[in-house]
Amino acid sequence: MAKLAAVVGIGQTHYKTRRGDVSIAGLVREAAVNALEDAGLGWDDIEAVIIGKAPDMFEGVIMPEIYLTDALGCNGKPMLRVHTAGSVGGSTALVAASHVQSGMFKRVLTVTFEKQSESNAMWALSTPQPFSVHLNAGAGGYFAPIIREYMRRSGAPYDVGIKVAVKDRLHGARNPLAHLQLPEITMKEVEDSMMLWDPIRFLEACPSSDGACAMVICSEDLVAESPKPPAWIRGVAMRSEPTMYAGREEVSPQAGRDCAADVYRQAGITDPRRDLDCAEVYVPFSWYEPMWLENLGFAPEGEGWKLTMSGATSLDEGGDIPWNCSGGVLSSNPIGASGMIRFAEAARQVRGDAGAHQVEGARLALGHAYGGGAQFFAMWVVGADKP
Amino acid sequence: MSEDTEAVTRIETPVYLQYNFTAGRAPARFLERIRQGVLTGQRCPRCANVYIPPRGSCPACGVPTEEEVVLPDKATVQSFTVVAIPIPNNPIKPPFVIANLVLDGANISFIHLMSECENSEVHIGQRVQAVWKPEAEWTYAMDNIRYFKPIDEPDVPVDRIGRLPIGGWEDEQ
Ligand SMILES: [Zn+2]
């Protein structure tokens, strides 16, 4: 039986196109210092550090964790690097949580980052492969045909993705850390933006950001040593599946459904829309909101878009199940950190510490990340109440 | 540092990567055959699905695949995207169509370029055929097929995409 663990500190950097003022080491340290401050702790209080980022080719710095021990105060302590493509921010948080839940460590610092301004992610995701043609047009090129298939199957109106793009940017405008600040964004502006990978328009895609996110996770007996309310970890789950196999359900991957079922069972959730107060879900392209609403059981198959269009996922429209109140991946995308931001923002909500994007009275929230060809999934449920 | 000297905050440091690829038995056989202009897949002994390019196993069943299946160069559009931005290190000029195509007799799609078509008329279920490079240029690569172009055959209904016999759509009808 896993021991109880909670998030007692959260630290983020501002997310922006380019952080020219800091190196990678400076960037991760900034997030870590913010998390320690939030937790009312110092470097000596940390027993181990778990770090994550997306592929090394993004920045061209191979195994950056090796030189980041100094910046993260973990010389002489255990350090572990996690990598599961775009879901890495989530799985890094889960590896950190398991270090505490196992009883092995009392207090762990976990940090994820990306410095996209130093990188060429499109190049890193488009490397030639020997037995296929060299046509990997980045993540958008991969996901656009899957979105097209969702649109065909569900018969959703063309502007569902446009609605999500506006909704998440309005959420992001409430969050001072969000990269894109677009308080005046309109449906027309999104619709008129350039079609990059049809059916994905420029404003329906995530930005490229620099940034880092950190959390301090500790065991039950040390929770009271930190001043702010904890976010109790109520369920943790990861699943993976092959990218390609005959008959693979690409629109709603089995691994995502299984991962959600596992994490809900642990948290005692039977109806996610009713039982959860909000969710931070990895939506890098706007159409992934309705797709994940179905995959994660918030709506029946083929009907996720109806939830989106009804305003149910919008804080501004007073929706009953707001998604991505922080602005989501559509507002900030330091890839390696993006999953952890989802997990951290879910925790901020149940700690009642989410500022202008707080869902009033939030007690239970989902954090979600996916990566690769939608083949890695990581999720947690955090709550204000001790289980 | 004197005040009129600007701080250096970034320098360009290119990274080059060249690697040798050990294909393994099934992909090596596929590459050897495509060098001769033949598309060779493998059938799963359990679920009977045909994989191309073959990887030597069926991920769905977790069993090795050995039976070779020679496939035609006609395919169906399973889905697609029209790309408006360039691919790094690829001379192809946008906009271009990248399609997920399933060869007749195969049960899994691969991506390839579509050309000789109106981008706005490309659709799911559309029938296409390979346009090969001249034989003298063939090598161990899927690029031996320059692109796929539409052919004058009726569309395949969605529930039959990825399930056509080797003889193709006309055979099935
Ligand atoms: Zn099989």
Side-chain angles (χ1 to χ4, degrees):
Chain A
M1 183 65 192
K3 296 181 185 304
L4 272 182
V7 179
V8 293
I10 295 171
Q12 301 182 62
T13 64
H14 279 100
Y15 304 114
K16 51 193 282 191
T17 305
R18 183 180 170 215
R19 281 292 303 270
D21 59 324
V22 285
S23 62
I24 289 174
L27 191 71
V28 293
R29 188 174 177 90
E30 188 177 309
V33 166
N34 289 344
L36 287 173
E37 200 168 287
D38 192 50
L41 299 170
W43 295 105
D44 290 343
D45 299 312
I46 299 299
E47 293 175 23
V49 178
I50 313 295
I51 186 168
K53 75 172 297 299
D56 290 350
M57 278 201 293
F58 280 14
E59 288 91 350
V61 180
I62 307 304
M63 296 189 284
E65 64 277 10
I66 287 173
Y67 96 100
L68 295 175
T69 53
D70 273 348
L72 294 172
C74 63
N75 289 330
K77 296 175 190 174
M79 180 196 245
L80 180 71
R81 154 92 184 268
V82 179
H83 182 220
T84 57
S87 73
V88 65
S91 49
T92 304
L94 295 184
V95 170
S98 71
H99 274 62
V100 177
Q101 292 171 318
S102 67
M104 191 67 89
F105 298 95
K106 290 276 189 190
R107 221 185 247 129
V108 169
L109 171 70
T110 183
V111 190
T112 51
F113 71 95
E114 207 71 60
K115 210 151 187 291
Q116 286 224 60
S117 69
E118 293 187 12
S119 80
N120 189 334
M122 177 86 173
W123 172 82
L125 293 171
S126 307
T127 50
Q129 291 174 348
F131 41 82
S132 68
V133 284
H134 180 209
L135 289 170
N136 315 311
Y142 180 84
F143 290 114
I146 301 173
I147 290 170
R148 182 182 303 281
E149 171 63 10
Y150 171 75
M151 293 164 81
R152 186 198 64 75
R153 277 190 209 178
S154 64
Y158 81 100
D159 57 351
V160 176
I162 296 171
K163 162 113 182 173
V164 176
V166 170
K167 186 251 317 173
D168 280 3
R169 271 53 174 267
L170 292 179
H171 286 173
R174 295 163 171 258
N175 175 8
L177 298 178
H179 176 172
L180 298 183
Q181 292 293 333
L182 303 169
E184 312 288 335
I185 193 170
T186 62
M187 297 274 283
K188 178 157 190 339
E189 197 181 338
V190 177
E191 185 167 353
D192 290 347
S193 67
M194 185 184 175
M195 196 62 98
L196 294 183
W197 306 274
D198 195 334
I200 303 173
R201 293 172 180 82
F202 175 72
L203 282 172
E204 292 179 276
C206 53
S208 289
S209 315
D210 283 2
C213 179
M215 290 188 285
V216 177
I217 297 174
C218 77
S219 58
E220 184 182 5
D221 53 318
L222 295 185
V223 163
E225 291 184 20
S226 287
K228 286 161 69 171
W232 294 99
I233 299 171
R234 304 281 299 269
V236 291
M238 276 189 261
R239 287 293 187 282
S240 50
E241 70 180 40
T243 327
M244 299 279 286
Y245 58 89
R248 179 174 182 228
E249 176 47 69
E250 289 187 297
V251 171
S252 185
Q254 186 66 43
R257 282 180 281 169
D258 292 348
C259 193
D262 189 3
V263 82
Y264 294 159
R265 184 187 48 76
Q266 293 171 46
I269 292 167
T270 51
D271 176 347
R273 180 175 178 185
R274 185 197 62 207
D275 298 343
L276 288 159
D277 296 303
C278 56
E280 283 281 336
V281 178
Y282 206 100
V283 176
F285 302 107
S286 58
W287 279 91
Y288 267 87
E289 173 169 304
M291 289 162 70
W292 290 151
L293 277 166
E294 296 171 27
N295 187 250
L296 298 173
F298 288 73
E301 198 175 314
E303 295 185 16
W305 64 270
K306 293 180 184 167
L307 230 63
T308 294
M309 294 312 268
S310 75
T313 58
S314 164
L315 201 51
D316 296 284
E317 292 178 59
D320 66 288
I321 183 66
W323 268 36
N324 294 322
C325 300
S326 66
V329 182
L330 283 172
S331 297
S332 314
N333 188 32
I335 301 180
S338 291
M340 185 170 285
I341 299 168
R342 310 279 71 71
F343 279 47
E345 285 289 345
R348 287 183 73 189
Q349 290 288 348
V350 300
R351 297 173 91 199
D353 194 30
H357 61 280
Q358 177 70 45
V359 175
E360 213 172 311
R363 307 294 294 174
L364 203 62
L366 171 73
H368 160 284
Y370 85 96
Q375 82 222 69
F376 298 122
F377 291 86
M379 302 177 198
W380 81 5
V381 170
V382 283
D385 303 310
K386 192 168 159 179
Chain B
M1 188 165 54
S2 70
E3 278 180 19
D4 55 0
T5 310
E6 239 180 77
V8 177
T9 60
R10 180 151 72 165
I11 54 168
E12 198 167 300
T13 56
V15 175
Y16 301 98
L17 186 63
Q18 260 187 324
Y19 56 92
N20 296 309
F21 174 69
T22 304
R25 219 181 330 170
R29 174 76 178 150
F30 168 78
L31 293 171
E32 194 184 299
R33 296 281 279 163
I34 202 163
R35 168 79 180 72
Q36 300 153 351
V38 182
L39 294 163
T40 312
Q42 280 185 336
R43 192 189 312 277
C44 172
R46 191 167 296 175
C47 66
N49 284 312
V50 172
Y51 285 86
I52 185 164
R55 303 298 292 269
S57 67
C58 172
C61 302
V63 297
T65 51
E66 275 158 19
E67 183 194 341
E68 275 192 7
V69 186
V70 173
L71 297 169
D73 65 357
K74 281 187 180 180
T76 307
V77 176
Q78 187 181 58
S79 193
F80 66 96
T81 178
V82 186
V83 182
I85 50 178
I87 297 172
N89 303 317
N90 190 319
I92 182 170
K93 294 269 177 297
F96 53 88
V97 179
I98 294 175
N100 302 42
L101 303 172
V102 201
L103 290 179
D104 295 350
N107 303 101
I108 191 146
S109 67
F110 53 78
I111 64 164
H112 215 303
L113 195 63
M114 272 181 70
S115 200
E116 289 189 50
C117 58
E118 283 296 327
N119 290 356
S120 60
E121 287 170 13
V122 175
H123 55 274
I124 292 172
Q126 192 170 15
R127 295 287 289 154
V128 295
Q129 185 162 18
V131 175
W132 294 77
K133 286 181 178 170
E135 196 173 334
E137 293 175 31
W138 287 352
T139 176
Y140 300 103
M142 198 64 172
D143 292 311
N144 292 352
I145 294 174
R146 206 188 290 278
Y147 54 79
F148 282 77
K149 69 169 184 187
I151 50 176
D152 191 21
E153 285 186 15
D155 289 350
V156 177
V158 169
D159 60 353
R160 296 302 304 153
I161 298 172
R163 296 189 172 89
L164 294 188
I166 285 183
W169 180 220
E170 292 183 327
D171 217 39
E172 169 151 316
Q173 286 174 316

